[in-house]
Amino acid sequence: MRKNFWRLSGRGIGVALAASWIALAAPQYAQAQVTAFKQAVAESAAREDGIAAFYRARNFEPIWTGAGADHQARRAALIEALDMAGAHGLPVGRYDDRVLMNQMRAARTARDMGAVEVALSRAFLQFAHDIQTGVLEPGRVIPAIKREVPKRPDDELLQAMADGDPRQVMRSLAPQSPEYTRLMRAKMMMEKQMQRGGWGATVNASKLEPGQSGAAVVALRDRLIAMGYLRATASAVYDDAMKAAVEAFQADNGLEVDGVAGSSTLKEINVSLQQRLQSVLVAMERERWINLPEGLGKRHIRVNLTDFTAKIIDDDKVTFETRSVIGAGSYDRQTPEFSDVMEHMVINPSWYVPRSIIVKEYLPLLRRNPGAVGHLEITDSRGRRVNRGRGFSQYSASSFPFSMRQPPGPRNALGTVKFMFPNKYNIYLHDTPAKNLFSREVRAYSHGCIRLNDPHDFAYALLARQTADPKGFFQARLRSGAETKVDLEQDVPVHLIYRTAFTTAKGQTNFRRDIYGRDARIWQALRGAGVALTGQQS
């Protein structure tokens, strides 16, 4: 009375049920078999609330294991998608369709069929969550990543598959951002280059300049050609074409652009293709972490910590950009990663000194000399000025009861303006009197907040949406000297990200130093989860 339930086509890309065993069974047993199938689905799904809720809502009817064309299309779309996991830098071993195939072939009873139904839903959800919002839980890998991934509910994903075109649903799972698409393209091109032998020999030199020749210049030439910065040439001289190629490489790697291959430039040129590919795979995972259902915002602020820049993005185009200084490299000063919403700016701000800075830096000075850090006011819990004459030697880090504030003024640590997106990490963007730091290549010096090189122009760009004369509006309040809060009429999402690999609409993939060592740890976690490089390192 039984027939083969499953028909396989090609390499198992499409899995089709030849006919539902329920329909093929003798009529007198049909109801019992339906009941057994549904009971098996209920039992198999009981451990996962989302799957259980989905099947309860549809009276445990299948979406994968029926005989109809819609069920067949879902199975085929799932298997096809699983076969593409590697293209997305996902751990291919998690989605071994052979396990599913074997379970399908082995199904003999209604209960077996119910177990297969739930197994297919589990496989779909595993893949859907991984490709949509990431393989890793970022905070578990790097505590400084204060970001909850926007994981979609299981029942919502299953319902989308039940209602929509299966292939279209599968295609919609991955981030739809131009950045993700370009990173996928960069991954594919780098894998092909690895198969061709990589970027060639490293450059054995401490410095190379225009006009030089020799073996090291030839190695530099060959590496620049393989990277796509220089057209194929037989020239063994550091000529104008090579100088232009070095300048382009420097720009794409956040280096000083001077056309001279100095120690910093050669260090980056000698980074292996394998390591660069790892950075791209990490960037793809990071892009999945911010794959918000509502998007990043038509207008949003993006601060890439590794790039030391802050940008205003309007409709996926950069409309304002300025250099930034971020938290120093020590663990307690690193800038965290998170997203929030900017609500207002404060012109002529006071600096309310964070407790951590008070007890770690200023209290030891005050214990020795009550008149130290005289530019700061010391206040009690009611805001009253504290008499320094009584001294502070009796206080410890845990018992010091006072707050500290620097009033507005030209030497204020926050400069002339701060931009607030209230958060529990006490991180914000602000001006600074220490302008000399912005000329440095690596700009990690703050206690965690983000200093801007052009804060006034940044303010004008934000205010342009709500006043006809943003510069005049801002400068009038600045000249008053009074601390002034200015609300933004429309809140602006802020995303503090960390990308050692990112793309531009035109040109090469950009790379930056892993200043906090975060991406190296994320790569190790991805590798531990089963993500692997494709191709061979030369």
Side-chain angles (χ1 to χ4, degrees):
M1 296 178 64
R2 297 302 331 276
K3 294 187 178 181
N4 179 20
F5 301 143
W6 305 100
R7 182 174 73 251
L8 309 180
S9 61
R11 294 174 50 249
I13 300 294
V15 181
L17 190 58
S20 166
W21 81 269
I22 298 173
L24 291 171
Q28 61 267 37
Y29 300 121
Q31 186 56 47
Q33 292 163 342
V34 169
T35 301
F37 174 86
K38 292 184 175 183
Q39 186 176 7
V41 170
E43 292 173 358
S44 298
R47 290 178 291 128
E48 293 102 341
D49 291 343
I51 300 178
F54 169 75
Y55 280 106
R56 277 198 306 270
R58 58 186 293 112
N59 193 28
F60 302 100
E61 294 291 337
I63 64 169
W64 307 100
T65 54
D70 52 344
H71 290 244
Q72 179 179 342
R74 292 187 196 107
R75 294 192 297 271
L78 174 60
I79 300 302
E80 289 170 4
L82 298 185
D83 283 350
M84 289 296 295
H88 291 270
L90 298 174
V92 175
R94 282 191 181 185
Y95 327 109
D96 190 347
D97 57 18
R98 291 172 298 182
V99 175
L100 291 174
M101 295 292 190
N102 290 337
Q103 188 173 358
M104 293 173 193
R105 292 190 188 100
R108 293 291 181 270
T109 68
R111 293 190 63 81
D112 292 342
M113 297 273 294
V116 168
E117 173 72 26
V118 176
L120 288 165
S121 286
R122 285 200 189 105
F124 164 70
L125 290 171
Q126 176 76 78
F127 178 80
H129 289 310
D130 288 354
I131 196 172
Q132 193 169 60
T133 51
V135 174
L136 306 174
E137 293 185 37
R140 289 190 175 184
V141 182
I142 309 289
I145 303 179
K146 312 294 185 179
R147 190 181 297 287
E148 289 189 18
V149 298
K151 192 173 182 179
R152 297 356 177 228
D154 287 353
D155 54 344
E156 179 181 304
L157 289 168
L158 287 167
Q159 194 62 53
M161 180 56 85
D163 294 341
D165 176 85
R167 284 187 172 83
Q168 186 173 339
V169 171
M170 299 304 290
R171 285 194 297 268
S172 71
L173 293 173
Q176 303 298 301
S177 64
E179 175 70 3
Y180 189 82
T181 301
R182 292 193 293 260
L183 286 169
M184 278 193 70
R185 187 181 305 121
K187 172 184 176 292
M188 179 183 66
M189 293 174 65
M190 294 170 80
E191 288 169 344
K192 289 181 178 178
Q193 185 65 36
M194 287 178 72
Q195 293 167 358
R196 290 193 293 265
W199 285 335
T202 55
V203 183
N204 186 19
S206 58
K207 185 178 183 180
L208 295 172
E209 298 181 273
Q212 287 186 251
S213 59
V217 171
V218 171
L220 175 61
R221 176 202 69 190
D222 292 346
R223 209 157 170 88
L224 289 170
I225 291 172
M227 291 177 177
Y229 285 99
L230 185 64
R231 290 185 177 181
T233 174
S235 173
V237 178
Y238 199 138
D239 55 17
D240 288 343
M242 187 177 292
K243 181 175 182 289
V246 169
E247 289 174 345
F249 176 88
Q250 290 169 330
D252 286 348
N253 286 267
L255 304 167
E256 180 185 355
V257 179
D258 59 7
V260 175
S263 58
S264 294
T265 297
L266 290 174
K267 181 179 179 181
E268 297 305 312
I269 281 177
N270 283 333
V271 172
S272 70
L273 176 55
Q274 181 186 44
Q275 187 173 338
R276 293 304 194 198
L277 180 54
Q278 290 171 5
S279 295
V280 169
L281 291 171
V282 170
M284 292 174 70
E285 173 73 357
R286 286 180 166 279
E287 190 71 8
R288 291 188 283 263
W289 293 345
I290 59 172
N291 184 22
L292 303 168
E294 68 276 15
L296 299 180
K298 284 179 65 64
R299 158 167 277 205
H300 65 271
I301 295 164
R302 185 182 307 167
V303 179
N304 185 3
L305 303 180
T306 66
D307 189 38
F308 309 107
T309 57
K311 300 175 182 178
I312 297 177
I313 312 291
D314 289 297
D315 296 316
D316 292 326
K317 295 181 180 178
V318 178
T319 55
F320 181 85
E321 179 175 352
T322 183
R323 291 187 169 202
S324 67
V325 169
I326 66 168
S330 59
Y331 183 78
D332 61 337
R333 294 176 65 176
Q334 293 181 11
T335 303
E337 302 170 48
F338 64 98
S339 295
D340 216 301
V341 177
M342 185 174 291
E343 299 174 355
H344 65 274
M345 67 182 73
V346 179
I347 303 171
N348 298 313
S350 294
W351 180 41
Y352 296 91
V353 185
R355 176 78 183 178
S356 60
I357 298 177
I358 291 174
V359 299
K360 290 180 182 178
E361 299 183 25
Y362 295 152
L363 180 57
L365 300 176
L366 291 169
R367 283 168 57 86
R368 293 193 297 269
N369 174 15
V373 291
H375 63 293
L376 300 175
E377 297 176 353
I378 303 176
T379 58
D380 63 18
S381 59
R382 298 172 66 180
R384 298 173 299 190
R385 295 281 291 270
V386 172
N387 183 354
R388 290 173 176 250
R390 297 177 181 176
F392 302 97
S393 60
Q394 68 272 33
Y395 297 114
S396 66
S398 60
S399 66
F400 188 74
F402 306 122
S403 300
M404 301 181 77
R405 167 184 174 268
Q406 184 181 19
R411 297 179 56 214
N412 186 281
L414 305 185
T416 56
V417 61
K418 66 178 180 179
F419 304 90
M420 303 301 292
F421 41 106
N423 57 82
K424 60 185 177 182
Y425 317 112
N426 200 26
I427 298 295
Y428 44 89
L429 312 184
H430 64 87
D431 184 17
T432 176
K435 299 294 187 182
N436 61 305
L437 298 178
F438 291 105
S439 63
R440 302 189 182 185
E441 197 171 85
V442 176
R443 299 186 289 276
Y445 297 101
S446 80
H447 285 86
C449 284
I450 297 149
R451 306 172 189 172
L452 302 181
N453 190 34
D454 301 307
H456 291 190
D457 289 336
F458 188 79
Y460 305 156
L462 291 172
L463 293 170
R465 293 285 182 95
Q466 60 192 66
T467 178
D469 182 15
K471 183 175 181 179
F473 177 94
F474 180 90
Q475 289 294 331
R477 284 147 185 82
L478 181 63
R479 288 192 298 269
S480 74
E483 189 165 358
T484 306
K485 177 184 176 185
V486 178
D487 290 324
L488 297 180
E489 292 181 359
Q490 183 175 0
D491 293 346
V492 182
V494 179
H495 305 287
L496 307 188
I497 65 173
Y498 185 103
R499 299 290 176 86
T500 59
F502 59 92
T503 69
T504 58
K506 297 179 180 179
Q508 295 277 341
T509 303
N510 280 223
F511 295 99
R512 297 294 184 268
R513 298 176 180 94
D514 189 5
I515 51 170
Y516 293 157
R518 292 178 185 173
D519 274 12
R521 291 160 65 187
I522 291 170
W523 169 248
Q524 290 302 319
L526 285 172
R527 191 170 69 171
V531 176
L533 299 181
T534 302
Q536 297 180 346
Q537 181 188 13
S538 65

